[in-house]
């Protein structure tokens, strides 16, 4: 099967808290919508948390990525204090209509020294069959779609990562 990767963005930012105090999963699943909005204005619209039918944690995010409105229903595959792997079949509303994109969001923290950690934000979007059908119907090549999504995702993630780091660190300090 050919590579269906539309975008892959990786950014890091420092956090002024020791790794022992960081709990990304707790932060993510208790993130108030107004704080989510502050983490990427004006792109972030709303956030909430729920569970799947079988009890797995979910983060629901509504945001704009480039010219698309995206509703992400992230299911927690791994949810630990220093690493979360979230997977969403995201509803994507583009100027050409509604489709789906798979998004894998990896949030992690690593120790830098006794008082500092590093936050890492990795977002990978992959074309679904539905997405490929949609772009073909509109005469858009995969390369064109990937180039647009990559540029939009890189811009978005570069702005949200330092704000996520700041929010995660504030959450850690508040819990201490």
């Amino acid at each position: 099967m050919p590579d269906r990767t539309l975008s892959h963005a990786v950014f890091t930012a420092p956090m002024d808290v020791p790794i022992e105090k960081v709990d990304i999963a707790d932060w993510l699943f208790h993130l108030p919508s107004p704080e989510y909005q502050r983490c990427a204005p004006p792109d972030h619209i709303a956030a909430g948390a729920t569970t799947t039918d079988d009890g797995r944690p979910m983060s629901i995010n509504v945001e704009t990525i480039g010219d698309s409105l995206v509703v992400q229903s992230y299911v927690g595959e791994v949810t630990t204090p220093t690493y979360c792997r979230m997977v969403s079949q995201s509803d994507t509303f583009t100027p050409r209509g509604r489709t789906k994109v798979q998004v894998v969001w990896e949030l992690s923290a690593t120790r830098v020294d006794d008082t500092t950690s590093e936050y890492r934000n990795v977002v990978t979007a992959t074309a679904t069959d539905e997405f490929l059908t949609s772009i073909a119907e509109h005469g858009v090549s995969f390369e064109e779609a990937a180039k647009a999504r990559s540029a939009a995702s890189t811009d978005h993630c570069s702005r949200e990562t330092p704000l996520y780091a700041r929010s995660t660190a504030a959450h850690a300090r508040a819990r201490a």
Side-chain angles (χ1 to χ4, degrees):
M1 179 166 49
D3 183 16
R4 291 184 173 200
T5 303
L6 291 167
S7 63
H8 179 72
V10 180
F11 289 93
T12 61
M15 294 189 293
D16 60 348
V17 294
I19 193 68
E20 297 79 19
K21 296 197 182 303
V22 173
D23 192 334
I24 292 172
D26 190 69
W27 168 80
L28 179 60
F29 296 114
H30 294 95
L31 182 63
S33 208
E35 178 63 6
Y36 175 74
Q37 292 167 358
R38 287 187 286 273
C39 288
D43 298 354
H44 285 182
I45 298 166
T50 188
T51 60
T52 61
D53 287 342
D54 62 1
R56 291 177 292 163
M58 289 180 69
S59 174
I60 309 298
N61 301 343
V62 180
E63 63 186 343
T64 56
I65 304 290
D67 64 357
S68 298
L69 176 67
V70 185
V71 179
Q72 298 171 341
S73 302
Y74 285 112
V75 176
E77 289 188 346
V78 179
T79 56
T80 71
T82 59
Y83 178 72
C84 289
R85 178 181 164 84
M86 311 296 293
V87 179
S88 173
Q89 296 299 315
S90 300
D91 291 294
T92 305
F93 299 84
T94 74
R96 294 177 300 280
R98 181 178 178 175
T99 189
K100 285 197 181 286
V101 174
Q102 179 177 292
V103 182
V104 176
W105 182 23
E106 295 176 278
L107 310 79
S108 62
T110 55
R111 181 184 190 280
V112 173
D113 58 35
D114 289 346
T115 61
T116 311
S117 308
E118 181 179 73
Y119 175 84
R120 181 177 167 101
N121 190 40
V122 180
V123 180
T124 306
T126 306
T128 62
D129 289 343
E130 183 178 326
F131 181 87
L132 293 174
T133 298
S134 175
I135 62 172
E137 287 173 352
H138 291 92
V140 177
S141 72
F142 178 82
E143 292 75 19
E144 292 169 315
K147 183 178 178 183
R149 174 67 190 226
S150 184
S153 183
T154 297
D155 170 64
H156 179 83
C157 292
S158 72
R159 291 183 290 112
E160 76 183 359
T161 299
L163 299 174
Y164 277 159
R166 185 175 72 194
S167 180
T168 302
H171 180 78
R173 287 190 296 277
R175 290 173 25 108

